[in-house]
Amino acid sequence: MSDHVGVKDVDHDEPPLDRQLDRRQFLARFAALATVTSAASLASPLRARAATPSWAPLAGVKSEVQVPSDLTELTLAQAATLIRSRKIAAIDLVDAYLARIDAFGSIYQAFNTVLADGARAAALAVDPRGDNPPLLGVPLAIKDNYYTAGVRTTANSYVFESFFPAFDATGVARLKAAGAIVLGKTQMGPLATTRATTPDGLVTTVNAWTPNTPSVNPGGSSTGSATAVAGRMAASSIGTQTGGSITGPSTAQGLTGLKPTMGRTSIHGIIPLSYTRDHSGPLARDAMDAAMMTQVMAGPDDNDPRTLGLPKVPNLIKAATPFRKKGQTVVRWPTTIGVLPGYTSGTSATALARQAMLDTFASLGAEVIDVAFPDEWSLLTGGAFNNVRLPERSEPFLEYLRQDVRLFGVSLSGWINGLFISGDEFLKGQRAKYLLAKRVFEQIFSVCDVVVQTDPVPFDIIGFPEIAFPIGFQLNSTAGLDVPIGAILGGMPYAEDRLLSLVAAFQDVTNFHLRRPPDPMLASPLRARTASVKLRLTMEDVEATSE
């Protein structure tokens, strides 16, 4: 259960942002988005603004936790509070994480660059006296498709193997301005296309819950970011999602991952995959940590047109604070959760965990109802229209494709296929996306506020927000170890506050998010590395799982 933030017992609250949404206006904006796809850039000369968002809501984060013997067990919220109150030193926290990276990094393979000297120097410079930024001294892991000034940014590809950006991505700049310390860059799928491998397909990063069994899938392209946090090698991390790569690694590794509404967080300074589907967001330990990260990252950025003209970012910290009435945890706002057909069917561990999750939400005051898939759901979310993302992938990389197709390694097929989708197919795909968004509004969100997700991709297509969180565990027979069972909830545009509030309530009465993975077997690192050598993805594998 959650005990690291101030739980308030109140009788009323402001309505969530989704209740104030003008759906027609959103759909008009959504339809226009395809006309600015050319705004994506591999190397814009503009610098991101670091201080646009307000940190005021973060002042409400408080922690009453005792200093643990293992500092890597502290959540982001706990660590930030203890550093500001001078109960722990930033350098001790950084050293604790670096010690785990030294001990287990060769097995986890979560990082491709560790900035130990820079992180220690930044931590030694931390002075907690006075008015300090909210993430002061907290060590984070950054996915390697985010620009980091003067630090090699490869997107785990041959294309960018010697790329040193001159500036930080907006998300990185804002986190650093908020006081966070960058521990390193995390391993990822080549150009964000699949689970973390070398550019030629050799599997690298493992699932933190099965560290000596590399065959267990650790999630999508934000694998390293997830493994770094789950394996207690960073307090929190940031990733990107185009086809499930924040929510996927989060469900696979017992984390709370928030994929915000498209445009809520900037993608300026992120090596692109699909401009109309790329999202940036946190992979964190719990709802409060995800809220803190998003509160810092969110807000308008002149360098990303998708972020402009949106509703003001609400108080996500308040939303992620467990809400009580008469001493009992309840959902913060009246909420109806829609359950899609087949979601709890069967007697598998996943089905049972899903039903238990829904029962818990009902006990917290949410209404749980059955909802149907929108008309032509399979057609609108399937490959025929989903593949229109591929030209957006290919266009920024034409120079490199002409130079040498071998630069794209195992993920080449997606870039080549994008060249063969005609203009009329692309336009039909954009119309299909609009129709899908309209039907989700009219046929799902007309009867519920939040809907369970059986696949993250449909909401990636239309840019609606999603949150992933752990709801149970099951035995993995190959590894002989328990692995997390995760769930994903999807909401209306700008519903990050409602989604965070639901997960905060759930985590206040459950403890799945508090479980820690076992450490790797130090006696057998050679066995783990040998096993990984035998795992290599082919182009067909990548095509089948590509974002």
Side-chain angles (χ1 to χ4, degrees), residues 12-91:
H12 64 277
D13 201 7
E14 294 296 323
L17 197 56
D18 57 8
R19 290 285 180 91
Q20 306 168 46
L21 176 67
D22 185 328
R23 297 184 182 185
R24 290 184 179 180
Q25 186 180 63
F26 177 84
L27 285 170
R29 177 187 178 89
F30 183 85
L33 181 60
T35 66
V36 295
T37 56
S38 62
S41 173
L42 289 178
S44 169
L46 298 176
R47 291 181 180 269
R49 290 186 180 180
T52 300
S54 170
W55 296 334
L58 288 143
V61 177
K62 293 181 175 61
S63 172
E64 299 175 359
V65 69
Q66 298 297 313
V67 177
S69 58
D70 182 354
L71 296 182
T72 68
E73 270 303 285
L74 292 170
T75 66
L76 178 78
Q78 292 170 342
T81 301
L82 292 177
I83 289 172
R84 288 199 304 272
S85 62
R86 289 184 277 178
K87 292 181 179 178
I88 65 171
I91 185 60

Side-chain angles (χ1 to χ4, degrees), residues 243-277:
S245 266
I246 290 174
T247 53
S250 295
T251 57
Q253 302 206 47
L255 302 178
T256 302
L258 178 63
K259 188 215 80 167
T261 309
M262 182 177 293
R264 181 52 91 193
T265 54
S266 174
I267 61 168
H268 177 67
I270 296 175
I271 295 171
L273 185 60
S274 172
Y275 183 74
T276 60
R277 281 178 52 169

Side-chain angles (χ1 to χ4, degrees), residues 79-321:
T81 301
L82 292 177
I83 289 172
R84 288 199 304 272
S85 62
R86 289 184 277 178
K87 292 181 179 178
I88 65 171
I91 185 60
D92 293 334
L93 184 61
V94 166
D95 281 345
Y97 283 119
L98 289 175
R100 284 192 61 81
I101 294 172
D102 287 342
F104 304 122
S106 63
I107 298 177
Y108 285 124
Q109 298 182 73
F111 290 90
N112 59 26
T113 300
V114 177
L115 303 170
D117 291 343
R120 295 196 82 252
L124 288 168
V126 166
D127 182 357
R129 294 170 295 185
D131 186 17
N132 281 299
L135 303 185
L136 182 69
V138 179
L140 304 180
I142 308 298
K143 187 175 179 179
D144 197 31
N145 55 350
Y146 284 78
Y147 284 24
T148 41
V151 176
R152 195 166 70 116
T153 299
T154 70
N156 193 25
S157 72
Y158 295 131
V159 176
F160 296 102
E161 61 184 350
S162 300
F163 178 48
F164 288 80
F167 61 92
D168 288 324
T170 298
V172 175
R174 289 178 175 173
L175 290 167
K176 288 169 68 173
I181 294 173
V182 176
L183 274 179
K185 306 296 290 292
T186 58
Q187 184 74 320
M188 56 181 285
L191 290 169
T193 51
T194 187
R195 70 174 285 185
T197 71
T198 60
D200 62 355
L202 182 66
V203 168
T204 54
T205 312
V206 298
N207 189 314
W209 290 86
T210 57
N212 296 97
T213 310
S215 60
V216 177
N217 196 331
S221 71
S222 300
T223 299
S225 293
T227 301
V229 178
R232 300 323 194 246
M233 293 179 287
S236 192
S237 67
I238 52 176
T240 57
Q241 177 155 325
T242 307
S245 266
I246 290 174
T247 53
S250 295
T251 57
Q253 302 206 47
L255 302 178
T256 302
L258 178 63
K259 188 215 80 167
T261 309
M262 182 177 293
R264 181 52 91 193
T265 54
S266 174
I267 61 168
H268 177 67
I270 296 175
I271 295 171
L273 185 60
S274 172
Y275 183 74
T276 60
R277 281 178 52 169
D278 286 348
H279 304 75
S280 62
L283 295 88
R285 303 268 184 91
D286 59 18
M288 178 55 72
D289 285 7
M292 292 177 69
M293 295 283 284
T294 307
Q295 193 82 55
V296 171
M297 295 173 69
D301 174 14
D302 289 345
N303 296 316
D304 183 354
R306 309 177 330 154
T307 68
L308 305 177
L310 304 186
K312 183 180 178 181
V313 181
N315 188 331
L316 301 179
I317 307 306
K318 185 176 182 181
T321 301

